[in-house]
Amino acid sequence: MRVAIASGKGGTGKTTLATNLAALLAGRGVAVRLLDCDVEEPDCHLFLRPDVKRCEPVTVPVPTVDEDRCTSCGVCAEVCAFKAITVVGATVLVFPELCHSCGACTMLCPESAIHEDGCVTGEVEFGTVALEGRHEFPLITGRLAVGEAKAVPTIRATMAAADAGGVDVVLVDAPPGTSCPVIESVRDADLVVLVTEPTPFGLHDLRLAVAMVRALGLPCVAAVNRADLGDDRVQRFCAAEEIEIILELPFERSIATAYAGGELLVDVVEGYEESIGATWDRIVAATRIVEASA
């Protein structure tokens, strides 16, 4: 089973839910793997403190021009849809940060004056989490290089660990929003859990997130953080759209204290082992409903 934890906006509690679900499943003896695909700001490690085994760079091909063979004909600039290569006089300029590694310039250069070199765009960190009283489980963390704008290659490399086998459940902590990085993280999920909050921004971005997962043909459920703040518009929206709310977390000092200290709710806040456990049971039930209706 692959479950993605996503949201339309940042700061709703995706990581809180993802890390606590992973810890809960490890405590139940379920073979689980957690992928932190929020590569611009990964933070699952702050709560799980993994023993990092190895780190692998993520590279993407970018063009390099052989000036001895180049005639400055301009074909490369003409075929580049992203303006990552341009010709100024007799000089060809390459802008790696704009390049999408499509290979058109290399393929179509009439003088074969362009080849591709690997450019590091991020890294994938492989670690093992060992929590007291719980089975060990792997945490795979994607981390974008500083100054890099394109997150998808690093997310794709992180998601490759989802297909490594050896586990029963893969949890994906997706980046916020509804753009390409999120789509790359959730598109192969069996179920998407959309974490939101009862605020105008929360409702607005939940609508966008629901539209995204439905455009991808994915089933979704919702979790509402700080559920006793604001009003009931999020709950009414979910009821109207027939989206099950599987968890409502209250605005509670003990939760904020645990979060600020990098602690797991299932470990330090009374009653939340049971609450997160019931949430997982609802996730399992939701996936079975989807399978039955397929």
Side-chain angles (χ1 to χ4, degrees):
M1 183 191 302
R2 184 180 301 187
V3 177
I5 318 297
S7 71
K9 65 182 290 292
T12 57
K14 295 187 312 299
T15 297
T16 297
L17 182 56
T19 53
N20 279 275
L21 281 174
L24 172 94
L25 294 176
R28 290 185 174 185
V30 176
V32 60
R33 178 181 293 125
L34 176 58
L35 310 182
D36 193 345
C37 289
D38 189 1
V39 300
E40 295 180 72
E41 196 69 31
D43 54 6
C44 287
H45 65 283
L46 298 177
F47 299 90
L48 299 174
R49 302 171 182 85
D51 177 19
V52 177
K53 304 296 185 182
R54 71 183 194 277
C55 189
E56 298 180 357
V58 179
T59 61
V60 295
V62 296
T64 298
V65 179
D66 183 345
E67 295 181 358
D68 292 333
R69 305 188 67 166
C70 178
T71 62
S72 304
C73 67
V75 170
C76 54
E78 291 174 5
V79 301
C80 181
F82 304 100
K83 309 302 181 185
I85 189 166
T86 189
V87 180
V88 180
T91 303
V92 179
L93 300 177
V94 177
F95 303 96
E97 64 275 9
L98 298 179
C99 179
H100 283 59
S101 305
C102 70
C105 59
T106 303
M107 181 182 299
L108 298 175
C109 176
E111 305 299 331
S112 299
I114 300 177
H115 66 275
E116 293 176 327
D117 291 323
C119 178
V120 175
T121 189
E123 63 183 16
V124 180
E125 186 179 271
F126 297 80
T128 301
V129 177
L131 301 172
E132 184 177 354
R134 304 180 189 274
H135 288 214
E136 293 184 354
F137 64 92
L139 170 63
I140 317 299
T141 302
R143 185 171 287 108
L144 198 63
V146 174
E148 177 60 51
K150 300 183 294 296
V152 169
T154 301
I155 291 174
R156 188 176 294 129
T158 307
M159 289 296 299
D163 301 320
V167 296
D168 299 318
V169 175
V170 174
L171 298 175
V172 179
D173 186 4
T178 56
S179 59
C180 296
V182 186
I183 291 171
E184 186 67 31
S185 301
V186 308
R187 64 180 183 178
D188 292 324
D190 297 304
L191 184 72
V192 180
V193 180
L194 297 174
V195 185
T196 187
E197 58 190 17
T199 64
F201 282 128
L203 177 58
H204 174 271
D205 293 338
L206 176 62
R207 292 179 187 273
L208 296 177
V210 169
M212 175 197 70
V213 297
R214 287 181 172 170
L216 294 171
L218 301 173
C220 68
V221 294
V224 184
N225 196 9
R226 298 181 284 272
D228 47 352
L229 293 179
D231 54 34
D232 66 345
R233 284 183 292 175
V234 164
Q235 287 83 352
R236 286 191 281 118
F237 169 77
C238 289
E241 296 294 326
E242 298 183 340
I243 298 170
E244 180 186 2
I245 296 176
I246 61 169
L247 173 67
E248 291 187 320
L249 280 178
F251 184 60
E252 193 172 279
R253 185 180 183 88
S254 60
I255 295 175
T257 300
Y259 178 84
E263 301 292 337
L264 295 169
L265 303 185
V266 294
D267 287 339
V268 300
V269 183
E270 184 177 355
Y272 279 93
E273 177 89 20
E274 295 77 11
S275 179
I276 299 298
T279 299
W280 176 252
D281 294 339
R282 294 185 188 106
I283 289 174
V284 172
T287 58
R288 286 175 178 166
I289 291 172
V290 171
E291 291 171 356
S293 61

